[in-house]
Amino acid sequence: MDYEGFFAKAIDKLKAEGNYRIFAEIERHAGYFPNASRHTENKKDEITVWCSNDYLGMGQNPQVLKAMKDTIDLVGAGSGGTRNISGTTHQHVILEQELAELHQKENALLFTSGYVANDATLSTLAGNMPGCVILSDEFNHASMIAGVRHSGAEKRIFKHNDVADLETLLADIEPSRPKIIVFESLYSMDGDIAPIRKICDLADEYHAMTYIDEVHAVGMYGPRGGGVAERDGQMDRITVIQGTLAKAFGVVGGYIAASQKLVDFVRSKANGFIFTTSLPPAVAAAATASVRHVRDQGQERREQHQERTKTLKELLTDAGLPIMPSDSHIVPIMVGDPILCKQVTDDLMSRYGIYVQPINHPTVPKGTERLRLTPSPIHSDEDMAELVKALTEIWSRLALKWAA
């Protein structure tokens, strides 16, 4: 077999379809988010970032930066190994305590990323309970799909956020079989929010566990930043809350929060936890500082963020741009064609110094390619005016479809 030829043809096919991904090389400036620099060959240009998942700008927070720097000076760079051999540090333990407290659960467990947390936890839970059935929302993240697949358990897919379809599936399962309802609180490509209370009601009625992915909601919603489940008063009804430290908390890593016994079960059996070197202690310390700040002092920041999101949506709507309905801080704009979607983002970067990544297949279904804007509390009125002006000009020049 011509291996190199096979790879080349696959890449050529992606390029022809408009789905080849090009990563912009950017350099963030501490204390100046959303401003950054873009590197191209020997050139460096200043840009404004409009697609970061560092939703609150906590990756620039002085308390977070100080915690990371101080911990490096105190204990060094790496963790020393996997958690079960030599890599459980004091910083890991403190962070897990803070995360358990944030979600009002008995315990929490750290992973190297949100992807690993979902994959390892779901595969371990469902894969070790005989006869387990997973009921999974059709729009769940790839990491959740991976965990379901790797569990080897029977799965049943329910229509997105459709509690009637979910109940039909639940009613068809032998009552004595273990069941896990797997869903996200906030779906990051559309910005819609799950009917958590109704899903929990069904879980109670049919004796199912609930597993919620709050990665795009932790830090952002609820009086303490516990997520949509906290905002909706449902946090205590969720069996497993999974979250990330890489978005609103501005660092990196993933976690679950649940009962003491469930967390201990996953800790003892999950390969994705047992055989992975743990996060550097400085990262854990920075995440702890961020969680504490967002939980105890972050309400004003959350309110500012909601105001900025509302303002941007209104400006885009007034301009006639085709923004998709969204119940959250995610602001998607429909393009519907992968090549045109990339053209829009290329023009934004090259002509206006505005950084937005195109969202194409397989992240979203073909024909629904879009821009995904993520306003922050730090984006100014001037930033928003420049963005809307640029998009309006590009939409006219490329003859793209406007809002109906």
Side-chain angles (χ1 to χ4, degrees):
M1 180 178 178
D2 178 8
Y3 297 108
E4 292 298 309
F6 171 82
F7 301 141
K9 287 180 181 179
I11 294 299
D12 288 343
K13 184 173 184 291
L14 286 174
K15 289 180 178 178
E17 294 172 343
N19 290 322
Y20 181 70
R21 298 175 185 238
I22 297 174
F23 300 149
E25 182 183 346
I26 69 168
E27 180 182 351
R28 285 157 56 108
H29 305 315
Y32 291 94
F33 180 81
N35 298 318
S37 297
R38 179 200 183 201
H39 292 263
T40 53
E41 297 179 353
N42 296 321
K43 188 179 179 183
K44 186 167 80 168
D45 299 310
E46 297 309 300
I47 61 172
T48 303
V49 179
W50 273 101
C51 55
S52 175
N53 284 342
D54 185 0
Y55 295 131
L56 299 177
M58 290 302 295
Q60 310 286 321
N61 181 274
Q63 295 176 30
V64 175
L65 302 184
K66 184 177 187 302
M68 183 174 284
K69 293 174 183 176
D70 289 350
T71 305
I72 287 177
D73 291 340
L74 184 67
V75 303
S79 66
T82 61
R83 290 282 295 274
N84 64 309
I85 293 179
S86 59
T88 293
T89 72
H90 180 62
Q91 289 76 19
H92 294 122
V93 174
I94 294 299
L95 177 54
E96 286 171 342
Q97 291 171 352
E98 293 293 334
L99 291 168
E101 200 282 330
L102 173 68
H103 293 293
Q104 297 294 284
K105 298 294 184 185
E106 292 176 352
N107 207 348
L109 189 66
L110 276 173
F111 294 84
T112 51
S113 73
Y115 190 107
V116 174
N118 273 333
D119 188 2
T121 303
L122 286 170
S123 61
T124 300
L125 290 175
N128 284 279
M129 289 190 290
C132 184
V133 182
I134 297 177
L135 300 106
S136 180
D137 188 288
E138 65 175 329
F139 283 6
N140 277 342
H141 190 264
S143 59
M144 305 171 83
I145 295 170
V148 171
R149 182 185 302 118
H150 293 155
S151 74
E154 180 182 343
K155 69 175 184 295
R156 303 191 185 184
I157 310 301
F158 62 93
K159 297 175 184 176
H160 178 54
N161 280 348
D162 190 330
V163 290
D165 190 45
L166 174 58
E167 182 165 21
T168 298
L169 296 176
L170 283 165
D172 192 47
I173 300 172
E174 171 63 37
S176 63
R177 294 181 69 179
K179 297 169 283 291
I180 309 176
I181 303 172
V182 180
F183 63 106
E184 299 182 45
S185 66
L186 194 166
Y187 291 83
S188 65
M189 291 300 119
D190 294 316
D192 57 337
I193 290 175
I196 299 175
R197 183 185 301 275
K198 293 180 180 179
I199 291 175
C200 288
D201 289 344
L202 287 177
D204 291 344
E205 182 177 352
Y206 290 92
H207 305 289
M209 294 172 60
T210 48
Y211 183 104
I212 190 170
D213 177 312
E214 287 260 35
V215 296
H216 290 276
V218 288
M220 308 292 294
Y221 299 90
R224 300 160 66 255
V228 177
E230 183 190 35
R231 184 198 71 178
D232 293 353
Q234 303 300 301
M235 200 161 59
D236 62 317
R237 303 181 70 191
I238 302 293
T239 311
V240 182
I241 296 174
Q242 182 267 344
T244 184
L245 302 166
K247 294 180 171 60
F249 295 126
V251 193
V252 71
Y255 65 89
I256 61 168
S259 70
Q260 176 67 39
K261 290 180 180 178
L262 188 150
V263 169
D264 199 22
F265 179 84
V266 174
R267 181 189 67 85
S268 301
K269 287 184 170 289
N271 286 345
F273 174 80
I274 295 170
F275 297 105
T276 301
T277 298
S278 59
L279 290 171
V283 170
T288 298
S290 184
V291 170
R292 287 172 175 167
H293 180 86
V294 170
R295 181 192 64 207
D296 300 334
Q297 305 173 48
Q299 187 57 24
E300 181 179 356
R301 196 74 150 182
R302 285 187 282 276
E303 291 172 357
Q304 290 173 344
H305 189 271
Q306 291 300 316
E307 181 277 321
R308 293 283 79 191
T309 300
K310 181 175 181 290
T311 298
L312 179 62
K313 287 179 179 179
E314 290 173 349
L315 291 171
L316 293 168
T317 300
D318 291 344
L321 291 158
I323 67 171
M324 300 168 62
S326 167
D327 301 320
S328 68
H329 61 281
I330 306 296
V331 185
I333 303 179
M334 179 59 68
V335 178
D337 178 275
I339 294 174
L340 288 174
C341 193
K342 186 175 184 305
Q343 182 64 58
V344 172
T345 58
D346 285 350
D347 285 1
L348 282 171
M349 183 75 94
S350 63
R351 293 170 180 258
Y352 303 97
I354 293 172
Y355 175 42
V356 179
Q357 278 290 96
I359 306 296
N360 290 343
H361 180 79
T363 306
V364 295
K366 291 181 179 180
T368 68
E369 293 81 8
R370 68 198 66 173
L371 310 183
R372 176 183 177 273
L373 305 176
T374 53
S376 76
I378 313 169
H379 283 96
S380 67
D381 289 342
E382 181 180 5
D383 292 331
M384 291 189 181
E386 290 176 354
L387 172 66
V388 174
K389 180 181 178 181
L391 287 171
T392 302
E393 190 279 326
I394 292 171
W395 242 254
S396 296
R397 178 163 43 81
L398 298 181
L400 299 176
K401 185 176 180 180
W402 297 85

